[in-house]
Amino acid sequence: MNSTENTAALVGRLLLSLLFVMGGWGKLMAPAATQAMLAKHNLPMVEAGWLLAVIVELGGGLAILFGLFARPVGFVCAIWCVATALIGHADFADRNQEIHFLKNMGLTGGFLYIAAFGAGAWSLDAWLRHRRGVVPAE
């Protein structure tokens, strides 16, 4: 990749991770509110759901931001976006929910790009490959 592509990959990861990191941090800091929202959607095991949401959103968001395990984490984040869209934003009679559903689908596309193509040269994945002496395929 050239420097323009590397810059775009880094900025793309930053922007994709922003929503996840902020959302995950909010859930970590407000477990009761998050668990109440999960209960409102009739989801079982709200405490486990809260923990899973924090791990996927905060942990996954940070992993994407730094480009660590980017391909598998990107795939998990893509699945998360589809699941949360179907669970929480499928009321298309409500325009706000429709917009959130479409936002999640857009995020899914971005995370699938990361799953397919990796984090780019400016990432911890690339740094770790370099330290191990692995030459990336072009």
Side-chain angles (χ1 to χ4, degrees):
M1 279 199 236
N2 64 40
S3 64
T4 302
E5 292 167 336
N6 289 324
T7 301
L10 177 63
V11 172
R13 287 195 339 264
L14 170 70
L15 294 173
L16 277 170
S17 68
L18 185 63
L19 186 64
F20 265 46
V21 170
M22 290 178 67
W25 182 257
K27 288 173 179 64
L28 179 65
M29 295 293 105
T34 303
Q35 291 171 19
M37 182 265 305
L38 295 173
K40 178 182 155 198
H41 289 290
N42 299 315
L43 295 173
M45 304 184 319
V46 294
E47 294 88 2
W50 167 79
L51 182 58
L52 180 63
V54 169
I55 290 169
V56 171
E57 292 183 19
L58 185 56
L62 289 170
I64 292 295
L65 174 62
F66 294 111
L68 183 63
F69 309 119
R71 287 177 183 252
V73 172
F75 187 68
V76 168
C77 290
I79 291 169
W80 185 260
C81 286
V82 171
T84 56
L86 293 172
I87 292 168
H89 305 301
D91 179 9
F92 297 128
D94 180 346
R95 179 71 176 139
N96 184 47
Q97 291 304 313
E98 181 183 8
I99 290 168
H100 281 290
F101 183 91
L102 294 172
K103 176 250 325 164
N104 278 36
M105 294 301 103
L107 287 168
T108 299
F111 285 124
L112 287 175
Y113 257 78
I114 292 173
F117 300 110
W122 299 341
S123 66
L124 288 177
D125 283 346
W127 182 77
L128 290 170
R129 275 193 312 273
H130 176 74
R131 282 189 48 104
R132 285 187 240 130
V134 177
V135 178
E138 293 288 329

